[in-house]
C-alpha cells in the first residue's frame, strides 16, 4: 500500500474530473472557499451556477453515512423519474453500491474531502447503458459544521426508461485543508478493489 498526501481511490478509475460541467461546478465551489477548508452553504448563490444549474444538486447529512437531497437539478431528477427532494442519495444506486457509497459519503463530511465518481447504470429492457460522472463538494452550515454538500452530475448515454440506478465504476476522495492547492496529474493514489 502506498500512502498518499490527500487522494484515495476506493475503486480504481481514471481521471474523474475531466467533464466541463463538473469542472465548472467545482471551480465555483473553489471560488467560495476564500482560504477556508470549505465554504459556507450560505455563500452558495444559484446565479454562480448559471449554465450548469440543471446538473447541480444539494445534499444534507442526516445521519452517519446518509445524505439526502435538499435540491436537485432537472438532470438528476430526470434520471430517477421523480423529484428527489427528501430522498437519500443511496436511492440512486443499486444495493451492492450503497455500502461503499455510504463509506465514501461519510469521508466527504468527516475528513472533509471532495468525492468524485464514475457510475454505470447497466443496460436492460428499454434501458441502454448510461454512465454518470459525479462530484460532491462539502459545505459548512451556519454553525461551521460540515453537514451539507454541493454536487453535480454529468451523463453520457441515452436515458431510456426511468428510474435508473447506478453501480460504482470508480471513486476518488481528496482530503481538504485550508492551505491546499489544486492537485495536478500524477498524484499518488491508494487503490482498493471492490469486493
Amino acid at each position: 500500500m502506498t500512502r498518499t498526501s490527500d487522494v484515495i481511490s476506493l475503486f480504481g478509475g481514471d481521471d474523474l474530473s475531466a467533464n466541463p460541467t463538473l469542472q465548472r461546478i467545482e471551480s465555483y465551489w473553489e471560488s467560495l472557499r476564500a482560504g477556508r477548508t470549505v465554504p459556507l452553504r450560505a455563500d452558495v448563490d444559484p446565479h454562480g451556477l448559471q449554465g450548469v444549474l440543471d446538473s447541480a444538486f444539494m445534499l444534507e447529512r442526516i445521519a452517519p453515512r446518509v445524505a439526502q437531497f435538499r435540491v436537485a437539478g432537472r438532470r438528476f431528477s430526470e434520471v430517477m423519474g421523480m423529484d428527489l427532494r427528501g430522498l437519500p442519495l443511496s436511492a440512486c444506486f443499486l444495493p451492492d453500491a450503497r455500502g461503499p457509497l455510504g463509506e465514501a459519503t461519510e469521508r466527504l463530511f468527516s475528513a472533509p474531502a471532495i468525492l468524485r465518481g464514475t457510475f454505470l447504470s447497466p443496460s436492460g429492457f428499454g434501458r441502454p447503458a448510461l454512465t454518470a460522472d459525479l462530484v460532491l463538494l462539502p459545505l459548512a452550515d451556519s454553525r461551521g459544521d460540515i453537514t451539507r454538500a454541493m454536487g453535480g452530475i454529468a451523463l453520457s448515454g441515452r436515458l431510456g426508461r426511468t428510474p435508473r440506478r447506478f453501480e460504482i465504476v470508480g471513486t476518488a476522495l481528496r482530503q481538504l485543508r485550508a492551505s491546499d492547492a489544486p492537485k495536478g496529474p500524477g498524484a499518488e493514489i491508494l487503490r482498493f478493489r471492490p469486493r
Side-chain angles (χ1 to χ4, degrees):
M1 241 184 324
T2 306
R3 177 142 178 122
T4 74
S5 55
D6 298 309
V7 180
I8 299 175
S9 175
L10 296 176
F11 303 101
D14 299 318
D15 181 12
L16 302 174
S17 60
N19 182 279
T21 297
L22 302 187
Q23 285 177 340
R24 178 128 179 242
I25 291 169
E26 190 170 341
S27 292
Y28 174 65
W29 176 86
E30 283 284 357
S31 75
L32 299 176
R33 288 179 74 187
R36 300 171 290 191
T37 305
V38 300
L40 296 172
R41 162 59 184 99
D43 294 339
V44 178
D45 180 350
H47 287 71
L49 294 167
Q50 281 192 334
V52 294
L53 200 52
D54 64 338
S55 298
F57 57 92
M58 193 75 65
L59 299 174
E60 178 180 12
R61 182 179 187 260
I62 57 171
R65 301 166 49 104
V66 181
Q68 74 179 13
F69 286 95
R70 299 274 300 183
V71 178
R74 181 181 52 83
R75 275 315 261 160
F76 218 150
S77 295
E78 285 174 352
V79 169
M80 295 303 293
M82 67 181 91
D83 183 358
L84 292 173
R85 284 178 294 181
L87 290 178
L89 177 63
S90 61
C92 302
F93 291 84
L94 294 168
D96 287 349
R98 292 175 185 165
L101 177 72
E103 292 172 26
T105 303
E106 186 58 26
R107 294 277 308 274
L108 163 89
F109 292 111
S110 63
I114 293 174
L115 172 60
R116 293 186 188 92
T118 299
F119 306 96
L120 172 70
S121 182
S123 60
F125 179 71
R127 292 183 172 117
L130 179 68
T131 302
D133 289 319
L134 202 71
V135 65
L136 291 174
L137 307 154
L139 298 166
D141 62 22
S142 59
R143 295 174 306 207
D145 297 328
I146 300 170
T147 60
R148 305 288 195 278
M150 180 173 123
I153 186 171
L155 301 173
S156 178
R158 235 171 19 89
L159 186 57
R161 286 177 44 229
T162 61
R164 302 298 301 261
R165 288 188 171 79
F166 295 92
E167 59 190 32
I168 296 170
V169 174
T171 62
L173 286 156
R174 178 169 62 91
Q175 189 166 346
L176 296 164
R177 293 184 297 265
S179 61
D180 63 352
K183 304 292 185 242
E188 291 185 60
I189 294 179
L190 178 61
R191 295 188 183 276
F192 296 93
R193 293 287 172 206
R195 295 178 196 142

